[in-house]
Structure formats: C-alpha cells, structure tokens
Amino acid sequence: MSGPAHGFDETMISGYLDGELTQGDTQRVRLHLEGCDGCRRLADDLRKLSDATMATDFRTPSDTQWDETPRTSASRLFHTSSWILGMIWVIGLVGFVVYQIATDGESTRFDGLIPLGLVATFGLAVLSALIDRVQTRKTDPYRKVKK
Amino acid sequence: MSEHLPSPDADLVASARAGDRDAREALGRKVGRSAYVFALQLTRDREAAGDVAQDSVLKFFKNLDRFDVTRPVEPWLYQITRNRVRDLARRQQHRRHQSLEDWIDQGRPDRAESAASAAADAERADLQRRIWRSVSLLSDDHREIFVLRDFHGLSYREIADVLSIPPGTVMSRLHSARTNLRSLLSEHLDTDQETPPATAQEPHQERKQP
C-alpha cells in the first residue's frame, strides 16, 4: 500500500484526517482514497480509532487534591516519614506499656526511645509543614498585596 | 499547518494572574486534572502521575506571570508535565507500569436510551479498553504523540512545541504511531463493517475537558 510502487505518501492520510493539509494536498488525498481500497480502509480504521480515543474519559483524583497547596518532593518525603514514624512510635508505646506491665515496671531500657520517637515524629511533620509554608510564600501571587 | 486557536482560558488565566482567588482555584483544578491524565498516559502509574501532576501545577503557577495569555494553556502545561515525567523516568528506570485501560472511566449509564444504544455503548467501551491496552504497549515516542493528538486534541503545531520537534516530523511520527496501534488492534477493528468513507476533519476546536 505504501512505498514507491504505490506512489502515494501514506502519512498524508493522517494529515488529511486531522485537517492539517493544504487545500491542494487535501484534494490529492481525497482523489487517491476514492481509487485505493487499501488506503480507504486504513483511513476508516484510523478515523474509528481517533473517535473512540477522543471519547474516552479517565478517572481522576477528586478536585480537592488540586485545591491543596502543591507539595514538593522533600515535603512529601518528610510528611510520609512522619506518618510512618508516628505509627511505629504508637506501636512501640503500646509494646512498651505491655512490657512494663509484664515485667512489673522493672526495666527502663526503652525509656529514652519514647520521647525521642515523639520528638522525631513531630519534628518531621513540622518540617514538612514549614517547607509547604516557604513554598507557598514563594508562589503565592498575593504575597505583595497588603491586607 | 494550523495556527494557534484563540485560548478559551485567556480570561481565566488573566483573572488568576490579577489575583482572583476563585479563578486561581478553578485554573488549578483544570490544569491539575489535565496534567494528571497526561502524566498517567505517559507513566502508566497512578502514584507517579499524581506526583508529576502536583509538581507540574506548582511549576505552572510559579511561571504564570510570564505566560502569554493569548496562547492556549495546554501545550505549555503538557510541556512542563512531559519534562517532569522525563525527570522521573531518569530517576526511576525500573518502575513497574500498568495498563491504561485500568483507569478508564466507563460510568455513563445515562447515555444508553435504548437496547441498541446500550449495545453500541458497550461495543465502544470494549474498543476503548482494547485501544488503551494497546496504547500502553506503544513506545514512549509513539504513545506521547498519539495521546497529544487523539486524546488531548492538540494541533500539529502545538504538538511540535510540546515535543520540541520540527512541525514536519509530527505528521510522520503520528502516522507511524497510529499504524502501529492499528496493527496491535487489527483483530479487534471490524473493517468489514459499513462505515461512511473517511473525510477530512476540521482541526479539533475542542480540547479535552477532563
């Protein structure tokens, strides 16, 4: 169908379907399609493909996602880390309490880890919020507007 | 080649730049959704698409003051998004991809007014699933040019801008992408079915409104 023997530049079919050809080329393609079954089938198939593709809808996250201040990678990392650390801390705290009850409160080996975990968790969360604040200040178009 | 169409978002962009909070939020939602869908089509990864879209929106608003409001928003947004996707691909070369058919929204029961139209809707939905499964298998170059034209409705000139390629290359690369896709789908396209002969289309005036 394509190539020198065929004598027709098949890529023009796409340009024709998309309305991107000059008048002369459009006319040339139209005449060719009238006399060439293979190219006409190709054009019909491509038209069908394009129509179905254009009519597709994709599921997107809820609109509220875009209302939030866009987060930078660093902010997201700290935010996620603080949540993970927080969960580990809660599990550790529960384990520690159970351990204390089981051993009658004799051991103090893990005492230091409890406040440390709490500080680290809140520290990461604050850091994440701080990065967001700085980012917002940089990108906020109203930052120069006096309240 | 077609010239840029007047931007339908010019007023929205101008208002957002002038400090209208509602316009800014509306624009954020619009570009967020568009960037997300395009990023999803390129990355085939929901999580990555969300990250890329957020970064793209951030960059979009950061440079909004420098944007020419008479030009359409999408080509610029897609250029930003594509660059973000490329950055991500360089960092995460072994990321696992999924098929795009997994994220198609097919909840449109109100369209079917009769059994015949319901059958036609089902047939179209099936074709769309097959198309997007096959689009997932195209090369990166072919997938991006195909979705920019046949899903997002950009003109050849706009596609050339987004992909930083000569306008003359757009038609040949796009045609190559389409014929590859057709080959992947050949057993699913009913070419014997009675269809009106192909005619030249007007350039897409409407852009995708996710």
Side-chain angles (χ1 to χ4, degrees):
Chain A
M1 185 165 60
S2 60
H6 184 252
F8 176 72
D9 179 6
E10 190 193 273
T11 63
M12 288 175 72
I13 291 174
S14 278
Y16 172 76
L17 293 173
D18 295 329
E20 295 270 0
L21 298 181
T22 61
Q23 267 194 323
D25 283 340
T26 300
Q27 186 63 15
R28 203 166 301 129
V29 176
R30 187 176 292 142
L31 286 172
H32 179 80
L33 291 181
E34 281 173 13
C36 178
D37 288 343
C39 285
R40 197 166 54 244
R41 260 199 310 276
L42 174 62
D44 287 342
D45 284 354
L46 298 189
R47 161 62 57 79
K48 199 185 283 187
L49 274 180
S50 292
D51 287 349
T53 303
M54 186 65 92
T56 311
D57 281 328
F58 278 86
R59 291 192 300 271
T60 54
S62 86
D63 277 348
T64 54
Q65 169 155 348
W66 317 115
D67 293 339
E68 293 172 8
T69 306
R71 289 204 136 105
T72 60
S73 304
S75 162
R76 276 197 298 272
L77 180 71
F78 287 129
H79 187 77
T80 310
S81 305
S82 74
W83 271 102
I84 293 169
L85 203 60
M87 281 189 281
I88 293 171
W89 181 78
V90 170
I91 292 166
L93 184 67
V94 171
F96 177 72
V97 170
V98 171
Y99 181 76
Q100 287 288 80
I101 293 168
T103 59
D104 237 3
E106 287 172 4
S107 171
T108 56
R109 266 190 298 172
F110 304 110
D111 283 1
L113 287 178
I114 300 299
L116 189 68
L118 192 62
V119 169
T121 300
F122 277 102
L124 286 174
V126 168
L127 203 57
S128 161
L130 202 63
I131 291 170
D132 287 343
R133 273 295 178 89
V134 171
Q135 196 63 47
T136 306
R137 276 189 73 84
K138 276 193 209 162
T139 55
D140 185 2
Y142 319 112
R143 62 186 181 277
K144 290 174 186 166
V145 178
K146 286 183 182 171
K147 288 180 182 172
Chain B
M1 297 282 178
S2 64
E3 292 300 317
H4 286 296
L5 300 169
S7 171
D9 299 317
D11 290 344
L12 190 60
V13 174
S15 301
R17 276 178 22 172
D20 181 337
R21 270 184 198 278
D22 290 342
R24 188 177 159 81
E25 281 178 13
L27 188 62
R29 284 194 291 274
K30 183 182 167 65
V31 298
R33 283 196 298 265
S34 297
Y36 173 82
V37 173
F38 185 48
L40 182 66
Q41 289 164 339
L42 299 193
T43 61
R44 293 155 289 157
D45 181 314
R46 197 167 56 88
E47 295 292 321
D51 289 350
V52 165
Q54 287 227 336
D55 284 347
S56 302
V57 172
L58 191 70
K59 174 111 179 169
F60 176 87
F61 278 108
K62 205 171 172 179
N63 295 300
L64 193 59
D65 286 344
R66 296 208 297 265
F67 178 64
D68 176 2
V69 290
T70 62
R71 295 173 75 88
V73 164
E74 282 84 356
W76 180 49
L77 174 70
Y78 295 145
Q79 199 167 25
I80 294 171
T81 307
R82 179 175 179 260
N83 289 339
R84 287 285 181 272
V85 169
R86 297 212 151 194
D87 290 346
L88 184 75
R90 270 195 290 273
R91 291 201 306 271
Q92 302 177 346
Q93 291 184 352
H94 303 293
R95 188 179 270 273
R96 205 166 63 83
H97 304 298
Q98 285 179 260
S99 175
L100 287 167
E101 66 173 313
D102 295 344
W103 297 295
I104 295 176
D105 184 1
Q106 291 177 334
R108 292 171 161 180
D110 54 328
R111 277 188 165 186
E113 291 171 353
S114 65
S117 66
D121 281 356
E123 192 180 329
R124 168 159 283 211
D126 183 53
L127 176 60
Q128 286 174 335
R129 274 195 297 273
R130 293 171 198 279
I131 286 174
W132 288 102
R133 191 185 307 155
S134 303
V135 169
S136 305
L137 302 174
L138 291 176
S139 68
D140 290 348
D141 282 352
H142 280 176
R143 196 170 56 258
E144 65 186 4
I145 201 167
F146 177 78
V147 299
L148 282 172
R149 176 63 210 178
D150 284 346
F151 181 83
H152 297 281
L154 266 60
S155 70
Y156 284 12
R157 174 72 63 84
E158 291 168 342
I159 292 171
D161 288 344
V162 174
L163 302 182
S164 304
I165 56 177
T169 307
V170 174
M171 189 164 74
S172 56
R173 189 183 293 180
L174 177 63
H175 188 74
S176 180
R178 283 171 170 169
T179 49
N180 275 356
L181 186 63
R182 182 189 185 231
S183 301
L184 289 166
L185 278 162
S186 55
E187 68 270 34
H188 306 301
L189 278 173
D190 182 11
T191 50
D192 296 324
Q193 194 180 331
E194 286 283 327
T195 52
T199 51
Q201 288 179 324
E202 286 298 310
H204 288 294
Q205 303 285 322
E206 279 183 35
R207 291 182 188 284
K208 202 77 183 173
Q209 302 288 330

